[in-house]
């Protein structure tokens, strides 16, 4: 699996944002989730390059999503 430079940078940014989301202060959680939300609009999550980050990203974000029925 060969990644472009842009895809590699995006993976590192997502990894960093997920770490800040999990380990950072609660005051930054909402802004970090907003950044991730905006970035997801520009990433093809079905691409092979996105697959390694999908599982971790979904695991982390799922902790912060509140579902109401």
């Amino acid at each position: 699996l060969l990644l472009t430079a842009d895809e590699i940078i995006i993976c590192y940014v997502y990894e960093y944002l997920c770490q800040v989301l999990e380990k950072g202060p609660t005051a930054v959680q909402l802004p970090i989730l907003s950044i991730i939300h905006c970035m997801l609009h520009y990433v093809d999550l079905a691409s092979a390059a996105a697959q390694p980050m999908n599982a971790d990203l979904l695991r982390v974000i799922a902790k912060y999503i509140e579902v109401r029925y």
Side-chain angles (χ1 to χ4, degrees):
L1 174 67
L2 294 175
L3 302 176
T4 66
D6 291 341
E7 292 168 334
I8 292 170
I9 291 169
I10 289 171
C11 288
Y12 281 125
V13 170
Y14 275 122
E15 183 179 325
Y16 174 74
L17 290 173
C18 287
Q19 287 180 8
V20 172
L21 191 59
E22 287 188 301
K23 300 174 184 174
T26 57
V28 300
Q29 289 176 350
L30 190 57
I32 295 293
L33 287 169
S34 295
I35 293 168
I36 291 172
H37 178 256
C38 290
M39 289 178 71
L40 288 175
H41 286 283
Y42 299 101
V43 175
D44 179 13
L45 295 175
S47 72
Q51 296 308 313
M53 71 177 184
N54 280 348
D56 289 333
L57 181 63
L58 291 175
R59 178 187 56 78
V60 171
I61 291 175
K63 294 179 188 178
Y64 300 94
I65 294 176
E66 185 176 312
V67 178
R68 294 184 183 170
Y69 294 99

